[in-house]
Amino acid sequence: MCLLNLLLHSFIGLIFIQVARADPSSYQWQDSLTSDAAPDWQKYVRSPPNQIVRPVAVLTNYTQGNVTNPNGLLTGKGATTFTRTNISAGTEKDVLPTIVVDFGQNIVGYLSIKFGGASSFNDTPGLPGIRLAFSETLQYLTNVSDFSRSYNGDTITPGSDQIAVNPYPYTWTDVHGCEYGNQVCDDGLHGFRYVKIYLDSLPADAPYTTSYGTVSIDSMSLNFSAFLGTPNTFTGWFESSDDQLNQWWYDGVYTTDMCTDTFGANDSDPRGAASPSLLGKLVILDGAKRDRDPYVGDLAVSARTSYLSHNLPQAARNVLADLADHQRADGWIPPASINNYTLPLLDYPLWWVVCSYDLLMYTGDVAYIQQYYSNIVQVLDTFYPSVTNTQTQLISKGIGISGGYGDYAFLPRSGPVTYYNALYVLALDNAASIATFLDGKQADAARWTARAQNVSASLNKYNFDITNGAFFDGTCGGEAYCETHAQDGNSLSIVTGVANATRANQVLSYLATHNARPYGNSFYDNDAIGAGFSQRVYAFISYFEIEARFIVGSASSALEEIRRLYGWMANHDPTITQWEGIGADGIPYEGAYTSMAHGWATGIVPALTNYILGVIPQGPGFSVYSVKPIPGDVKWAKGVVPTPHGPITVSWNSNPSQGQFYISTTGPAGTKGTVYVPVANASVAVYLDSNPVPQMNGTQSSASQDVGYVAVPINDDQTHVITVGFQMN
Ligand SMILES: *[C@@H]1O[C@H](CO)[C@@H](O)[C@H](O)[C@H]1NC(C)=O
Ligand SMILES: *[C@@H]1O[C@H](CO)[C@@H](O)[C@H](O)[C@H]1NC(C)=O
Ligand SMILES: *[C@@H]1O[C@H](CO)[C@@H](O)[C@H](O)[C@H]1NC(C)=O
Ligand SMILES: *[C@@H]1O[C@H](CO)[C@@H](O)[C@H](O)[C@H]1NC(C)=O
Ligand SMILES: *[C@@H]1O[C@H](CO)[C@@H](O)[C@H](O)[C@H]1NC(C)=O
Ligand SMILES: *[C@@H]1O[C@H](CO)[C@@H](O)[C@H](O)[C@H]1NC(C)=O
Ligand SMILES: *[C@@H]1O[C@H](CO)[C@@H](O)[C@H](O)[C@H]1NC(C)=O
Ligand SMILES: *[C@@H]1O[C@H](CO)[C@@H](O)[C@H](O)[C@H]1NC(C)=O
Ligand SMILES: *[C@@H]1O[C@H](CO)[C@@H](O)[C@H](O)[C@H]1NC(C)=O
Ligand SMILES: *[C@@H]1O[C@H](CO)[C@@H](O)[C@H](O)[C@H]1NC(C)=O
Ligand SMILES: *[C@@H]1O[C@H](CO)[C@@H](O)[C@H](O)[C@H]1NC(C)=O
């Protein structure tokens, strides 16, 4: 035990005595810094402990044919042997020897199999063939992988990976390519939880492999290719009184870890997405299994997850810089490297601006912003005005080149779509903040702020459906607005302040009534513009609704939505990792193709850190920050937020029935923090380090969302304790 811990223990003793006085019930204040063993949060970390990952089970109920000692490859006690003779070929007994190996959770990388050898049956030509089919779920496990990069333009396999097993002991590793010319081929990298292994050969692989003979496997393992987020790699963490929220936070981190990888020519998906300017760089891909290409909209969520957990700013920066380097002359920025940087999306250049702002705010990368500032100007002042209705100032899909452009879900939208415009406001506001932070850019800031206000006013004037209390999605081809309301634009209208408090509450109430499903909130209220849309849930866009609920102060509804959405994913195969999309009845929305580990679905990580722990950057690199917990039913939270200046450490306890609140915060030197503490009413006393804060002893009436909070400025690197409703000695 170190001196620091000793001091803290005496400090905790003091807190306890004080609480015993203030609250004779058994309530105890807790502090984050009390642990002398391994920090408690480490038990939630999902990363495999080592880069070499071993399977945890052979699923007995999937074993078929003549397989002896199926668990041998797990235990090291004897080999697992597959045998198929042609004695009974064509009869009922002639079942392909098959096992299904479970790695226990979704993983990604290169599989190796240690073979003990193989022998052919009689004089059958060729080596005994083994085929592998990978899957993230049992539901989509078949004789071919749930998804193969061979389905996307590179057809070297029919969906399974093939091995010609040598007669002698050796270790085979799954490498992209073929053993014999264009025969006996493999995909290489896979993202999966389960792998089916069966003795079989493809007719097309003759004469190199045969479906008969004996193959023995001693063991198998996976070389994990993505970022290995073991506990020692965490620069930020989160823990609270709610065990499930805690686990899902670390599940989200692991999901983004699985997408954080070095961009490789043969690993990208589709392989045509491989770009010379990305090769060898650390990036955040969209998914582990599929969409192994970094898209900038996805980064709006996954990059925040990354900044707040492992602080690997280069992974997001490499992507943002590469996309900016491919900006078109008309200001448009490609969403990703796919199709040689030409995939036409209308929303992603706005996400590029938003992600650039986040990079500055979370990591303080001023050099990036200075280098790419002119790209921001071109996006906002050249490209978007070219797709804008000059009268309303709304982006209108159909104007200029925008007609054929898609968005994050390739939705058949048209006209002045609320989502594009609410996102436009967010990008304009973010850009105005960037301009304000830089010297000599005040004119840009003023112009973008004024335009954001105009777009905001037009959205309120033209797009709001007063009857239903929510923003329309857009038009259905003609002039009239469609009778449909989308989660994306409605949520962003609140996040950006387009919707005032009255409208924000109407919108959130509309979404709660019309979009709630057992597995989250759907992205449309009905199927007016697409079949099944009313049953489809994207955790990606749900993040902005969850944020909106916290922003209006409704932690209870934010947590309720989180519990439905993340609870569903956590309890359905493959569990742990968070999904690209959820369809009707809560199944993966695009069947086997769905990526079950998608970084864009990890909004729970920034949501809990920003609103439950309460830490949000308000200036570049957290030079200015706020700490404003919005507890809901969470009793306490503690954690660390990494910043380029050093960690921000926060620990709070809430005892709402007594109107009491305790918070301890420490920020780095040279930063300015504002801690917002909840106060029930103007007569509750607030103390900073046991001293009354008389000038702040009432509810402050500043911004509407800060009603019920008292703001306490913190301008040094000392640990400060603020208490509400009781005084510490
Ligand atoms: C096989 O076993 C696994 C793990 O015990 C189980 O999840 C799965 O539902 C079973 N499948 C069948 C088809 O019985
Ligand atoms: C299964 O294969 C083994 C050889 O690996 C053989 O000895 C055994 O007879 C086979 N069993 C059946 C039922 O064919
Ligand atoms: C099947 O087995 C017989 C002998 O038992 C052998 O002559 C024949 O070539 C085998 N056929 C195949 C396809 O392996
Ligand atoms: C997979 O199995 C199905 C029958 O279940 C068969 O039709 C198909 O050809 C097989 N695919 C491959 C690539 O082996
Ligand atoms: C990619 O795979 C091909 C075979 O399909 C191989 O020739 C090439 O060396 C691989 N490239 C890398 C960088 O591994
Ligand atoms: C795992 O892969 C890495 C490259 O990503 C390589 O350096 C390492 O040697 C591999 N480990 C094993 C045991 O094959
Ligand atoms: C990609 O586009 C660039 C610029 O238009 C062009 O120079 C390059 O040849 C293209 N690459 C491929 C592989 O088509
Ligand atoms: C905002 O709208 C007003 C009125 O339509 C117009 O005069 C003004 O130029 C607009 N401001 C910006 C920055 O576009
Ligand atoms: C919100 O905006 C609507 C429409 O502009 C307006 O009628 C309402 O009074 C506003 N509410 C508040 C609280 O500002
Ligand atoms: C203020 O809140 C405290 C704590 O909840 C409560 O005990 C007290 O009665 C309230 N006072 C007034 C005037 O509402
Ligand atoms: C703080 O509270 C005291 C007692 O309730 C009151 O007299 C004083 O005016 C308050 N100060 C402010 C700035 O509200």
Side-chain angles (χ1 to χ4, degrees):
M1 184 182 279
C2 67
L3 181 61
L4 180 65
N5 273 332
L6 267 175
L7 288 172
L8 287 167
H9 274 264
S10 12
F11 177 62
I12 297 311
L14 288 178
I15 297 175
F16 184 78
I17 290 161
Q18 179 54 45
V19 168
R21 250 182 248 155
D23 177 10
S25 70
S26 63
Y27 197 84
Q28 291 179 19
W29 302 104
Q30 298 198 29
D31 193 272
S32 64
L33 308 171
T34 58
S35 169
D36 39 273
D40 198 38
W41 60 264
Q42 295 193 356
K43 70 183 179 208
Y44 298 110
V45 172
R46 293 296 200 175
S47 163
N50 299 298
Q51 193 173 6
I52 303 305
V53 188
R54 305 271 170 194
V56 301
V58 173
L59 300 182
T60 320
N61 56 358
Y62 284 86
T63 302
Q64 290 183 32
N66 188 350
V67 177
T68 57
N69 194 21
N71 286 323
L73 62 82
L74 293 179
T75 58
K77 288 183 189 144
T80 298
T81 304
F82 298 69
T83 304
R84 186 172 178 232
T85 67
N86 74 350
I87 308 271
S88 51
T91 70
E92 238 175 81
K93 286 184 185 163
D94 186 36
V95 179
L96 299 183
T98 303
I99 61 169
V100 171
V101 172
D102 179 6
F103 277 78
Q105 69 188 59
N106 226 331
I107 49 171
V108 62
Y110 299 90
L111 187 73
S112 284
I113 300 180
K114 192 174 171 218
F115 287 109
S119 54
S120 305
F121 179 71
N122 289 344
D123 297 323
T124 314
L127 297 171
I130 285 286
R131 295 177 63 194
L132 306 175
F134 297 82
S135 183
E136 292 183 292
T137 61
L138 281 176
Q139 183 176 8
Y140 299 111
L141 181 70
T142 66
N143 58 343
V144 292
S145 297
D146 58 355
F147 171 77
S148 162
R149 287 189 304 291
S150 276
Y151 299 153
N152 268 359
D154 169 11
T155 54
I156 64 168
T157 82
S160 55
D161 290 38
Q162 281 62 235
I163 310 169
V165 185
N166 289 306
Y168 46 84
Y170 73 111
T171 299
W172 168 91
T173 298
D174 202 337
V175 174
H176 172 254
C178 304
E179 285 187 61
Y180 301 94
N182 60 0
Q183 289 172 282
V184 193
C185 302
D186 301 306
D187 249 356
L189 177 142
H190 287 276
F192 66 101
R193 173 171 169 177
Y194 308 96
V195 56
K196 177 180 280 196
I197 305 174
Y198 57 110
L199 200 165
D200 189 24
S201 64
L202 293 172
D205 285 344
Y208 298 105
T209 54
T210 161
S211 313
Y212 301 100
T214 300
V215 168
S216 71
I217 297 180
D218 292 334
S219 65
M220 53 196 289
S221 64
L222 176 108
N223 191 342
F224 196 79
S225 64
F227 180 77
L228 192 73
T230 49
N232 61 310
T233 65
F234 278 73
T235 52
W237 54 268
F238 172 85
E239 197 177 357
S240 75
S241 57
D242 187 313
D243 198 51
Q244 288 188 316
L245 296 179
N246 300 344
Q247 188 57 70
W248 301 335
W249 193 93
Y250 292 87
D251 290 356
V253 170
Y254 177 62
T255 300
T256 291
D257 288 352
M258 278 187 60
C259 304
T260 306
D261 209 337
T262 304
F263 192 90
N266 286 337
D267 306 341
S268 67
D269 167 61
R271 286 202 174 92
S275 157
S277 56
L278 282 176
L279 290 181
K281 288 185 182 160
L282 188 71
V283 297
I284 306 180
L285 306 160
D286 286 12
K289 168 180 83 176
R290 207 209 72 233
D291 285 6
R292 293 188 58 84
D293 193 22
Y295 281 65
V296 69
D298 302 54
L299 281 188
V301 177
S302 59
R304 285 186 176 183
T305 297
S306 178
Y307 302 148
L308 291 170
S309 55
H310 301 303
N311 201 15
L312 289 173
Q314 69 273 29
R317 189 201 201 273
N318 287 337
V319 177
L320 297 174
D322 185 62
L323 296 175
D325 290 340
H326 289 87
Q327 186 171 35
R328 217 164 50 191
D330 67 352
W332 180 81
I333 287 189
S337 65
I338 186 171
N339 297 347
N340 198 11
Y341 298 93
T342 62
L343 185 74
L345 298 192
L346 190 52
D347 52 344
Y348 276 37
L350 295 169
W351 285 124
W352 177 83
V353 174
V354 171
C355 287
S356 295
Y357 170 78
D358 276 1
L359 181 72
L360 176 66
M361 298 299 277
Y362 282 82
T363 78
D365 195 340
V366 175
Y368 166 89
I369 286 293
Q370 283 170 334
Q371 184 176 349
Y372 292 106
Y373 186 81
S374 63
N375 301 80
I376 297 175
V377 176
Q378 270 195 286
V379 170
L380 294 177
D381 290 353
T382 304
F383 180 67
Y384 284 100
S386 78
V387 292
T388 295
N389 176 327
T390 48
Q391 212 182 343
T392 62
Q393 298 219 326
L394 293 176
I395 294 171
S396 188
K397 190 173 168 198
I399 292 179
I401 60 167
S402 68
Y405 277 49
D407 54 28
Y408 68 92
F410 302 96
L411 304 174
R413 299 170 132 163
S414 58
V417 173
T418 299
Y419 162 63
Y420 302 141
N421 286 288
L423 179 56
Y424 191 24
V425 172
L426 182 62
L428 287 164
D429 284 344
N430 284 176
S433 297
I434 290 170
T436 306
F437 297 136
L438 300 179
D439 284 338
K441 310 288 188 198
Q442 283 73 14
D444 293 343
R447 181 173 69 259
W448 292 332
T449 301
R451 199 190 307 160
Q453 284 163 356
N454 279 2
V455 173
S456 177
S458 282
L459 273 175
N460 274 297
K461 182 170 175 190
Y462 300 111
N463 283 34
F464 198 74
D465 174 1
I466 290 163
T467 311
N468 287 295
F471 288 92
F472 285 118
D473 185 49
T475 56
C476 273
E479 296 281 294
Y481 283 85
C482 279
E483 280 297 328
T484 190
H485 311 84
Q487 181 193 32
D488 50 17
N490 276 290
S491 302
L492 284 171
S493 78
I494 299 167
V495 171
T496 56
V498 166
N500 65 21
T502 313
R503 289 194 162 176
N505 285 320
Q506 286 180 295
V507 162
L508 292 176
S509 146
Y510 185 87
L511 292 175
T513 307
H514 294 85
N515 296 38
R517 310 286 173 258
Y519 44 91
N521 280 12
S522 60
F523 82 137
Y524 274 93
D525 55 343
N526 59 38
D527 294 342
I529 70 163
F533 282 10
S534 65
Q535 304 305 314
R536 184 187 298 179
V537 171
Y538 286 104
F540 167 56
I541 220 69
S542 295
Y543 165 58
F544 302 99
E545 181 181 344
I546 290 163
E547 265 206 295
R549 293 186 180 280
F550 278 117
I551 287 169
V552 304
S554 180
S556 59
S557 75
L559 292 170
E560 189 275 331
E561 184 172 348
I562 284 175
R563 287 173 179 133
R564 261 185 296 120
L565 172 59
Y566 287 92
W568 186 272
M569 294 189 285
N571 288 317
H572 289 82
D573 197 21
T575 71
I576 299 181
T577 52
Q578 294 160 357
W579 314 357
E580 181 186 17
I582 311 177
D585 303 322
I587 65 169
Y589 82 128
E590 288 181 323
Y593 184 78
T594 311
S595 159
M596 304 304 281
H598 229 63
W600 79 353
T602 65
I604 187 162
V605 175
L608 296 182
T609 297
N610 291 159
Y611 301 107
I612 294 291
L613 192 63
V615 182
I616 297 183
Q618 304 290 352
F622 290 87
S623 51
V624 184
Y625 65 93
S626 55
V627 183
K628 184 187 172 192
I630 309 176
D633 61 16
V634 177
K635 300 281 182 289
W636 57 263
K638 56 192 182 182
V640 164
V641 172
T643 88
H645 305 280
I648 295 172
T649 304
V650 174
S651 172
W652 62 256
N653 270 260
S654 168
N655 186 11
S657 66
Q658 303 292 318
Q660 293 172 320
F661 193 81
Y662 164 96
I663 186 167
S664 156
T665 69
T666 317
T671 62
K672 285 184 192 306
T674 303
V675 181
Y676 293 81
V677 287
V679 289
N681 57 54
S683 48
V684 177
V686 176
Y687 303 89
L688 171 61
D689 301 323
S690 301
N691 302 311
V693 195
Q695 72 276 21
M696 291 165 186
N697 59 352
T699 304
Q700 291 179 326
S701 56
S702 47
S704 67
Q705 59 223 41
D706 293 334
V707 167
Y709 282 82
V710 164
V712 181
I714 302 288
N715 293 320
D716 57 31
D717 60 354
Q718 303 303 300
T719 296
H720 293 284
V721 171
I722 302 166
T723 55
V724 177
F726 72 102
Q727 184 180 20
M728 297 206 356
N729 285 339

